[in-house]
Amino acid sequence: MKLDVNALRYLSKDDFRVLTAVEMGQKNHELVPLELIDSISGLKHGGAFKSIKTLMRHKLLHHDSKYYEGYRLTYMGYDFLAIRALVSRGLISGVGRQIGVGKESDIFEVTNDEGEVFALKMHRLGRTSFRAVKSKRDYLGRRQNYSWLYLSRLAALKEFAFMKALYEHGFPVPQAIDNNRHAVLMGLVNARPMVQVRTMAHPARVYLSCMELISRLAAKGLIHCDFNEFNLLINEDEELTLIDFPQMVSITHANAAELFSRDVECIIRFFSKKIGYVPEQDPKLPYVRPDYEAAAAAAVAAAAEGGEGGGLDVELEASGFRRQDQKVLEEFLAGARDEEEGEGEEEDEDEEEGSSEGEGGEEADGTAGKGGAGTGEADEVLGAGDPGEGSDVEARLRALAVRSGCAGGEGGEASGSGRGSGSEEEEDEDGEEGSSDAGEGEGEGRRERQERPGRQPHGGGARGGGGRRQQRLGEADVQQIVTAQRRKKSQREAMSRASRNSTKSKGRKGKAASGADGW
């Protein structure tokens, strides 16, 4: 639909109030009912319906009655709202000819009261030439419901932010002046698209300028992702200006290297096929393709320094990189560095503890042997009674972390004073067998384990004479013990709940029987 701003001078304040009311209603409605428009606009005596007829005559609103009577904004109505906002700010006073058209935008010449000429870019997502917005862009994030007007507004906000930041950092881009809704007001560049050029006086110099611009963007943490002859403007002095930024991503994006190479190959293909200059055949060039690894390293160094030299992808929250991701990454890297620094100190401490334990190992084993069955220090850690009863799993983990080892038996077997990892596994299996039968109690399962041949009785008699050594519980053993205890605890809780439910059901049946008898 062609933009005709002549109707703008004939619209009244009430018309714009109704137009704004439809825009506000479209936040929650695909089609805004007349009652809601009348309520939001606040006009009396049928003024909203009168304005709606005027707006529909100028094709600023669209009426639809497929599901119910409702209205929605057209792109021209959205254009009028954006233009009126820029006019009220004193930035523009007139709209001229259309100077560019793309798959997702239209560009017009505009002027202000002082006669200065600017470019006004109107984003128009939803055309048949470009409808794969959800898969090609990251405007929506995790949202599922959207309208094309809302997507156009998000695209304009993103492009304005990128253009302003790049201009402030000295990149050859148009000057970003202001934006409203889906419109971006920028400075007008006296140049033409490079796709219209067929001959160049210095193709090697222009080619190196393109490669340098790609490298500079990557060094700032950004990749253009659409760096080609359509988005490069060239003037008579063969100086370049970069445009079109909504699709830019961070250099930390998962496909950053591929997107970087695609931008480079687009320029090489253009110069080779359209200009007749083959960069690979020019020996005077210092390089043909820029180094992605060097650019990525420069971007990481700039992000680490921060300040003005920091990465623009962090500042602008480019696709593939967010500020919260940067915070999490920094915390993780800081923790990893602390762990690496503390590894050496922990190893030294472990060696000292090992030597002291070797000297006093016999004394510790003697104490555990005197205590008899169930009196060893390992019983206090792992629990001498039923696993999971009267003990806290987290408390046991802390105790195991403090105590680096426990007394070991002869031949590497666990001592009788505490339940080792092997006995825990066997008890775990017995506990599962015992819990599968509701009639068998936990005491019967223990008697069966004690009567099983080949098992040592639970006590300190398993310690024979000879060499004793320290056995350190590993992380896997501790996790296995905790898992077994939690599983047994959950099984007991399930059995107790089943017992309570059966008791309640019996009580209900008894009450029902007594009620049937009349008592």
Side-chain angles (χ1 to χ4, degrees):
M1 185 182 298
K2 185 178 179 180
L3 178 62
D4 184 12
V5 295
N6 291 323
L8 189 63
R9 67 185 70 180
Y10 302 112
L11 297 180
S12 63
K13 292 183 178 180
D14 292 346
D15 296 336
F16 277 105
R17 289 183 67 174
V18 172
L19 207 60
T20 306
V22 176
E23 181 191 15
M24 295 175 64
Q26 280 196 256
K27 292 181 180 179
N28 301 319
H29 297 77
E30 185 177 354
L31 296 174
V32 186
L34 179 60
E35 295 80 5
L36 183 60
I37 298 174
D38 198 8
S39 174
I40 296 175
S41 62
L43 300 179
K44 299 179 179 179
H45 308 295
F49 185 73
K50 180 181 178 181
S51 296
I52 285 175
K53 291 194 297 184
T54 303
L55 296 173
M56 289 185 63
R57 184 170 63 250
H58 294 294
K59 299 181 180 179
L60 305 183
L61 289 181
H62 176 75
H63 174 256
D64 196 345
S65 58
K66 184 177 181 181
Y67 302 106
Y68 56 89
E69 295 288 334
Y71 302 86
R72 62 175 175 83
L73 278 175
T74 63
Y75 261 118
M76 186 177 291
Y78 210 44
D79 294 342
F80 275 33
L81 288 173
I83 292 172
R84 186 172 184 269
L86 295 175
V87 170
S88 63
R89 297 175 187 175
L91 297 174
I92 63 174
S93 59
V95 180
R97 64 188 180 94
Q98 183 175 354
I99 59 176
V101 59
K103 65 180 183 297
E104 51 184 322
S105 63
D106 290 338
I107 304 174
F108 300 89
E109 279 186 350
V110 294
T111 183
N112 59 5
D113 294 333
E114 300 173 357
E116 297 178 347
V117 181
F118 304 100
L120 182 64
K121 183 174 182 178
M122 299 283 194
H123 288 264
R124 302 192 187 282
L125 274 66
R127 290 175 171 171
T128 56
S129 60
F130 186 68
R131 285 183 175 270
V133 178
K134 189 169 179 60
S135 60
K136 303 293 184 183
R137 302 286 189 267
D138 66 336
Y139 305 148
L140 283 175
R142 297 184 178 180
R143 303 182 189 93
Q144 298 296 329
N145 300 321
Y146 60 92
S147 66
W148 293 117
L149 298 180
Y150 180 64
L151 285 177
S152 300
R153 176 178 175 272
L154 295 179
L157 288 172
K158 189 170 185 179
E159 179 162 22
F160 178 77
F162 276 113
M163 189 185 304
K164 184 177 181 181
L166 292 174
Y167 184 83
E168 292 175 352
H169 285 77
F171 284 88
V173 299
Q175 182 183 4
I177 299 175
D178 199 358
N179 83 297
N180 183 267
R181 293 177 174 86
H182 67 311
V184 179
L185 183 64
M186 65 187 79
L188 184 64
V189 180
N190 186 17
R192 58 176 176 168
M194 199 167 68
V195 68
Q196 301 176 4
V197 177
R198 288 294 176 267
T199 58
M200 293 183 182
H202 306 89
R205 188 182 68 183
V206 178
Y207 175 78
L208 287 178
S209 299
C210 295
M211 297 297 107
E212 181 185 358
L213 188 54
I214 294 176
S215 300
R216 286 180 59 193
L217 286 171
K220 288 293 182 180
L222 294 172
I223 298 176
H224 191 274
C225 297
D226 200 12
F227 197 95
N228 51 42
E229 62 273 17
F230 297 94
N231 295 325
L232 286 171
L233 305 179
I234 186 169
N235 58 10
E236 295 180 355
D237 298 331
E238 295 185 347
E239 296 177 350
L240 299 177
T241 302
L242 183 63
I243 60 174
D244 195 10
F245 312 102
Q247 70 285 334
M248 294 184 75
V249 301
S250 170
I251 201 168
T252 58
H253 194 276
N255 302 325
E258 179 184 354
L259 297 172
F260 183 88
S261 300
R262 188 179 69 179
D263 288 349
V264 173
E265 295 302 326
C266 285
I267 299 300
I268 294 176
R269 184 166 54 252
F270 168 76
F271 276 87
S272 300
K273 293 184 177 181
K274 301 297 180 64
I275 306 299
Y277 171 75
V278 183
E280 288 88 348
Q281 298 177 1
D282 189 357
K284 297 181 181 180
L285 285 177
Y287 60 90
V288 177
R289 293 174 175 82
D291 188 5
Y292 170 75
E293 300 297 336
V300 172
E305 291 176 1
E308 296 182 357
L312 291 178
D313 57 338
V314 182
E315 178 182 345
L316 299 173
E317 297 185 7
S319 176
F321 198 99
R322 301 175 298 174
R323 291 183 179 176
Q324 49 265 38
D325 296 338
Q326 172 71 11
K327 183 179 179 181
V328 173
L329 179 61
E330 290 177 354
E331 292 177 354
F332 175 77
L333 293 177
R337 285 194 297 268
D338 295 340
E339 290 180 0
E340 291 177 357
E341 293 175 357
E343 278 183 0
E345 298 178 359
E346 291 179 359
E347 289 178 358
D348 296 338
E349 292 177 358
D350 291 340
E351 291 178 359
E352 294 176 359
E353 291 177 0
S355 60
S356 60
E357 288 175 358
E359 294 174 359
E362 296 181 358
E363 184 178 355
D365 288 340
T367 306
K370 293 177 182 179
T375 58
E377 192 171 355
D379 282 329
E380 297 177 2
V381 177
L382 302 179
D386 294 335
E389 293 183 1
S391 61
D392 188 12
V393 175
E394 281 71 15
R396 298 182 184 187
L397 282 176
R398 287 194 294 269
L400 284 170
V402 174
R403 176 178 167 79
S404 60
C406 64
E410 185 176 356
E413 297 180 355
S415 64
S417 61
R419 297 181 182 178
S421 60
S423 61
E424 279 292 332
E425 294 177 359
E426 296 175 5
E427 289 175 4
D428 201 5
E429 297 174 359
D430 297 333
E432 294 177 357
E433 295 174 359
S435 60
S436 62
D437 189 2
E440 294 180 4
E442 190 175 357
E444 295 179 359
R446 290 181 186 169
R447 288 194 296 273
E448 290 177 3
R449 290 195 296 270
Q450 291 177 0
E451 294 173 2
R452 189 175 299 173
R455 289 283 301 271
Q456 293 290 344
H458 185 70
R463 291 185 183 151
R468 298 185 178 94
R469 64 184 182 85
Q470 297 289 335
Q471 183 179 1
R472 186 184 299 275
L473 285 177
E475 184 177 355
D477 297 334
V478 174
Q479 187 65 29
Q480 190 175 8
I481 293 170
V482 173
T483 304
Q485 292 172 350
R486 288 178 176 174
R487 184 163 59 249
K488 290 183 179 181
K489 185 177 181 180
S490 62
Q491 290 172 355
R492 284 193 297 274
E493 291 176 353
M495 292 179 65
S496 62
R497 285 195 299 270
S499 177
R500 289 195 299 269
N501 292 337
S502 63
T503 303
K504 291 179 181 179
S505 62
K506 290 179 181 179
R508 294 193 192 100
K509 291 180 180 178
K511 290 181 180 179
S514 62
D517 295 337
W519 295 96

